[in-house]
């Protein structure tokens, strides 16, 4: 290579010194050198290609000038080489110059311009500047189509664009792009092409990520077949595909199917590369990890020992791959009871990772939990606690930093992975019962951090940052800095560029300070909270309860999900950890198969006589399970007066989101709401960082008396003031099946009391100084709803009296039921996205509910999903009242709470939400609502006190919980 470069310099000097330039000879030599350079950089060797391309550049500049196509090509190759070597800024500059020159020479509709756009999109994708990446891909697509047709490069552009959507968690968009790319490649390249196979591979990854394992398996099997035919069964890339398919099988518990694939992959790597190659060691590592997961420790040990020996020879004893095999072998020995052999391996793995990766690294943090398990099994609890606290601090730091650059889906995946480790944290106080420990305090801090983390931090940061064009651009830059930093931090310490990292850290810190300074609320959204800060906000006669649920480790994982309370009072030296009950005790009450109607509610909120229970039945009442165990840790109430009740700020968890805790009876005459002033929060961190709403006007928007049957003329007339620019983006064609009921829930029949409700509210609001706009009948359109907060501040009050819906997760169905459902049910009802399976019905919604599409392509369908609501701006809305059925329900997603309408309106920026837990009766609902507004606006109560007062009045009037306890207020 050095000789080649020397010859190139001589060649350039020769052409430069020649009196007469032989243009044809120069062009021929340039083309020859381009062929060599292209082969190198496209083969993954950009560092070797770069000096050749620089000499091509000098040759062209000296002899041909810059105003020609070959110079444009040279700039593009320089850009690609720099980008591949992580010199992204330089790569961008070369490509931007190539873009300008290509347009000047040939206009915008040429393949050079399209290629520049495509490559710039790739650079911006690597930089984390996703919106810029998308813009370039979209600009390139029509040029490729016009110049070369919908062929190879058009499909490549679709494929790359799908990668952006995958990273942003936009799975539906990514899937459509991949499917289109697949169809084009199938026609143009055929089904035996490697590019086609790689598109199928990405599609399989998407399906695996979204839990569609059967579809992912089918595609991976096809990829396997293509690579088998094109590369042969002895190719290492083919072996890697087998390993990916095996990992999918392991993920779904199909260990017997995974094992032979891993064995075959191991044999291929051995035959192709030999037993001293790192790819062979990796195959052994994967096989050993599978045996560890299967509990087949006798098989796992020799495989992992072999991998360790190869790693030692190939990468050395200070490499993270060597540490991973040590760690797995140590875990094997722990499970075999060979503790003396396990400890040195686990400690060595920890030390290697700390040195090679740094202690802020994701892999280092995850590796600590095998050591925690060892210390717990051997009852070295003090050592276990130290490691647990270290792991917790690292994981929170990683997740907190990631909030400023990961997509919502990526954050959810990362948060869910870390949340699994929280099981050991929350289980630890039970294992160490009665012993002094720092873990309860750490558990409280973890609950403050993780509970609703994506909602309270990541989404709020984004929402604030994109509040205007200037801050949106600055935020995009901040994201790109953090993405690049994350890539550098993921490298081993020896491979990191300290100068680049320091420069990026300075830029990120500066940009973050700028946003904090210029965007109101940006700094508060990033603030992390400790239990001491929460305690400082408590007054005498107040207490905080963070409720948590977790899989119980004892110290190994069990099949039990436990609930506990973390209680904090003024003056406490640490929070109190109080175990409560096992989930199956509550599950039998909450997970009913039928509708959530009167019999369900009566059973849930009753005090059944003990003598009426089956002999030996250990089931307790809700009060006995949930509240009685923690009462002894609560401070006494100041007095017996209504205004002097003990105030309890509480945050529910898991299935407790489906309870009205204040309605839980203590006796036949008293509920928890009678004894305490209960304030439900998404997280008690809100006491330190409250959700603030800037009330821009004293107005209200009311929806009620809605006509659900389609009248296209009436709806078109109602929408005359709404253009596509005044509403948020439409969902497109999404469908449901028709369902029927007689309450404000599953039948989309006219609800006469909703009309009376909103009409009765108008004078109450007016007397309270609130100007109300009411949309009734066919005027209550989806277009009208989506126009809220667009161009003008959102109303102070948003009241929606209509049908609501929530469908449970289809993945909870057994396999056969799911297959039958997917064949017979519409897409929306069985969507994997929980925010699409819940929503509200607006004017004309019955047509789409039954047909699966709007009556006209340019109209909304009248079915407003939680996902669509989450895209709105309701940052000026103090109160949202969802006077509809089951609007408080949704999927329970780990520590993130309820994924449904509640989450949607919180993401949109609303402060208070009033929602329902079951199919509420129409007449009593309008009674409750009018009473609440009178208490709030006429009697000048606070929103929480007005709601409690209204519900108490309804209870005294009707007594049956079904008629008064269906609604909850959440701040």
């Amino acid at each position: 290579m050095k000789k080649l470069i020397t010859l190139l310099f001589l060649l350039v000097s020769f052409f430069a010194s020649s009196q007469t330039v032989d243009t044809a000879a120069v062009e021929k030599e340039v083309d020859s050198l381009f062929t060599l350079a292209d082969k190198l950089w496209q083969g993954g060797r950009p560092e070797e290609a770069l000096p050749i391309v620089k000499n091509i550049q000098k040759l062209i500049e000296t002899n041909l000038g810059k105003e020609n196509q070959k110079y444009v090509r040279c700039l593009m190759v320089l850009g690609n080489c720099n980008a591949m070597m992580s010199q992204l800024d330089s790569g961008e500059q070369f490509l931007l110059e190539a873009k300008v020159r290509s347009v000047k020479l040939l206009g915008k509709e040429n393949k050079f311009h399209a290629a520049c756009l495509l490559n710039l999109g790739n650079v911006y994708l690597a930089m984390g500047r996703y919106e810029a990446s998308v813009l370039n891909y979209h600009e390139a697509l029509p040029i490729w189509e016009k110049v070369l047709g919908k062929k190879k490069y058009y499909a490549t552009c679709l494929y790359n664009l799908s990668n952006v959507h995958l990273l942003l968690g936009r799975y539906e968009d990514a899937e459509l792009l991949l499917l289109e790319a697949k169809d084009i490649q199938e026609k143009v390249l055929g089904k035996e092409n490697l590019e086609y196979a790689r598109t199928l591979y990405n599609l399989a990854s998407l399906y695996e990520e979204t839990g569609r394992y059967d579809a992912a398996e089918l595609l991976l099997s096809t990829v396997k077949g293509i690579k088998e035919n094109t590369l042969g069964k002895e190719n290492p890339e083919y072996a890697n595909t087998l390993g990916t398919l095996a990992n999918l099988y392991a993920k779904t518990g199909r260990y017997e199917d995974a094992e032979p694939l891993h064995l075959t992959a191991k044999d291929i790597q051995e035959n192709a590369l030999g037993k001293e190659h790192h790819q062979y060691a990796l195959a052994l590592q994967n096989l050993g990890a599978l045996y560890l997961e299967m509990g087949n420790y006798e098989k796992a040990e020799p495989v992992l020992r072999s991998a360790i020996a190869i790693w030692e020879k190939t990468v050395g004893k200070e490499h993270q791959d060597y540490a991973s095999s040590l760690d797995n072998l140590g875990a094997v020995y722990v499970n075999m009871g060979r503790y003396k052999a396990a400890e040195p391996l686990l400690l060595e793995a920890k030390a290697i990772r700390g040195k090679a990766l740094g202690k802020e690294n994701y892999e280092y943090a995850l590796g600590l939990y095998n050591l925690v398990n060892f210390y717990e099994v051997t009852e070295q609890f003090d050592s276990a606690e130290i490691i647990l606290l270290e792991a917790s601090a690292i994981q929170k730091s990683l997740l907190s930093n990631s909030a400023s650059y990961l997509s919502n889906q990526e954050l959810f995946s990362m948060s869910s992975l870390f949340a699994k480790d929280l099981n050991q944290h929350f289980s630890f106080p039970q294992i160490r019962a009665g012993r002094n420990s720092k873990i309860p305090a750490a558990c409280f801090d973890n609950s403050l951090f993780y509970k609703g983390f994506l909602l309270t931090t990541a989404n709020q940061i984004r929402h604030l940052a994109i509040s205007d064009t200037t801050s949106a651009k600055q935020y995009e830059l901040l994201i790109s800095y953090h993405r690049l930093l994350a890539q550098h931090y993921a490298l081993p310490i020896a491979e990191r560029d300290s100068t680049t990292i320091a420069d990026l850290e300075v830029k990120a810190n500066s940009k973050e300070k700028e946003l904090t300074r210029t965007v109101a609320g940006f700094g508060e959204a990033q603030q992390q909270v400790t239990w001491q800060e929460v305690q400082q906000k408590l007054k005498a006669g107040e207490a905080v309860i963070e409720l948590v649920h977790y899989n119980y480790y004892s110290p190994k994982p069990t099949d039990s999900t436990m609930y506990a309370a973390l209680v904090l009072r003024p003056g406490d030296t640490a929070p109190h950890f109080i175990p409560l009950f096992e989930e199956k005790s509550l599950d039998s009450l909450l997970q009913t198969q039928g509708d959530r109607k009167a019999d369900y509610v009566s059973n849930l909120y009753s005090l059944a006589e003990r003598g009426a229970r089956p002999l030996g039945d250990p089931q307790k009442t809700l009060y006995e399970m949930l509240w009685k165990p923690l009462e002894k840790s609560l401070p006494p109430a100041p007095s017996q007066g209504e205004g002097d009740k003990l105030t309890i700020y509480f945050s529910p968890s898991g299935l407790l989101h489906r309870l009205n805790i204040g309605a839980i009876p203590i006796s036949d005459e008293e509920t928890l709401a009678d004894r305490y002033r209960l304030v439900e929060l998404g997280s008690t961190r809100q006491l330190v960082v409250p959700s603030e709403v800037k009330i821009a006007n004293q107005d209200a928007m009311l929806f009620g008396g809605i006509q659900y049957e389609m009248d296209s003329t009436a709806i078109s007339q109602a929408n005359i003031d709404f253009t596509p620019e005044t509403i948020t983006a439409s969902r497109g064609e999404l469908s449901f099946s028709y369902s029927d009921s007689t309450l404000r829930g599953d039948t989309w029949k006219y609800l006469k009391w909703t009309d009376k409700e909103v009409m009765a509210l108008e004078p109450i609001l007016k007397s309270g100084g609130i100007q109300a706009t009411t949309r009734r009948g066919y005027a209550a359109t989806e277009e009208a709803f989506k126009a809220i907060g667009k161009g003008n501040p959102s109303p102070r009050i948003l009241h929606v009296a209509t049908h609501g819906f929530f469908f449970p997760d289809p993945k909870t169905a057994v396999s056969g039921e799911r297959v039958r459902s997917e064949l017979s049910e519409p897409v929306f009802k069985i969507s994997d996205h929980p925010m699409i399976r819940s929503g509200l019905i607006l004017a004309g919604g019955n047509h789409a509910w039954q047909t699966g599409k709007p009556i006209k392509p340019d109209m909304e369908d009248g079915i407003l999903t939680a996902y669509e609501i989450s895209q709105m701006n309701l940052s000026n809305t103090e109160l949202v009242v969802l006077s509809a059925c089951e609007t408080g329900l949704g999927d329970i997603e780990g520590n993130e709470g309820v994924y449904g309408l509640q989450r949607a309106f919180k993401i949109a920026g609303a402060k208070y939400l009033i929602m329902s837990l079951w199919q509420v009766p129409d007449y009593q609902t309008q009674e409750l609502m009018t009473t609440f507004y009178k208490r709030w606006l006429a009697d000048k109560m606070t929103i929480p006190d007005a709601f409690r007062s209204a519900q108490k009045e309804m209870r005294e009037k009707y007594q049956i919980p079904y008629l008064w306890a269906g609604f909850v207020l959440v701040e």
Side-chain angles (χ1 to χ4, degrees), residues 35 57 314 381 412 817 886:
T35 301
Q57 182 186 22
T314 56
F381 294 119
F412 177 73
E817 291 176 350
E886 300 185 344

Side-chain angles (χ1 to χ4, degrees), residues 408-464:
N408 190 66
Q409 185 62 40
E410 288 173 317
L411 267 175
F412 177 73
S413 299
M414 188 176 185
S415 178
S416 298
L417 186 60
F418 287 171
K420 292 177 183 177
D421 298 321
L422 282 179
N423 295 321
Q424 288 182 261
H425 291 262
F426 290 136
S427 299
F428 197 78
Q430 288 179 254
I431 297 173
R432 292 201 74 180
R435 304 183 189 187
N436 186 35
S437 171
K438 296 180 181 179
I439 292 294
C443 286
F444 199 105
D445 285 346
N446 282 333
S447 185
L448 292 174
F449 181 85
Y450 283 96
K451 190 180 284 186
F453 174 79
L454 303 184
L455 173 61
T456 57
T457 303
N459 284 299
Q460 191 176 355
I461 289 172
R462 291 187 180 92
H463 184 74
L464 292 167

Side-chain angles (χ1 to χ4, degrees), residues 432-505:
R432 292 201 74 180
R435 304 183 189 187
N436 186 35
S437 171
K438 296 180 181 179
I439 292 294
C443 286
F444 199 105
D445 285 346
N446 282 333
S447 185
L448 292 174
F449 181 85
Y450 283 96
K451 190 180 284 186
F453 174 79
L454 303 184
L455 173 61
T456 57
T457 303
N459 284 299
Q460 191 176 355
I461 289 172
R462 291 187 180 92
H463 184 74
L464 292 167
I466 62 175
S467 57
D468 63 73
T469 305
T470 302
S471 62
K473 290 179 180 177
Q474 300 305 312
Y475 182 61
E476 185 183 341
L477 279 175
L478 177 63
I479 288 175
S480 67
Y481 294 148
H482 280 298
R483 277 222 175 252
L484 289 170
L485 277 170
Q487 293 170 12
H488 284 284
Y489 289 148
L491 294 172
I493 290 176
E495 298 176 23
R496 297 179 189 176
D497 184 337
S498 58
T499 303
T500 300
I501 290 175
D503 180 55
L504 287 170
E505 286 174 338

Side-chain angles (χ1 to χ4, degrees), residues 656-673:
L656 298 178
H657 283 286
R658 295 175 180 167
L659 288 176
N660 182 340
I661 290 181
I664 295 175
I666 301 173
S667 66
D668 291 333
E669 292 80 28
E670 187 181 28
T671 67
L672 288 177

Side-chain angles (χ1 to χ4, degrees), residues 746-757:
D746 290 329
T747 86
W748 317 140
K749 295 179 180 178
Y750 181 73
L751 299 167
K752 67 176 182 179
W753 288 105
T754 65
D755 191 53
K756 296 181 183 296
E757 180 177 318

Side-chain angles (χ1 to χ4, degrees), residues 636-646 670 674-676 952:
S639 70
Q640 298 301 313
E642 173 68 26
D644 297 323
K645 292 179 182 177
L646 177 64
E670 187 181 28
D674 293 325
R675 183 174 294 182
Y676 305 98
K952 182 178 181 181

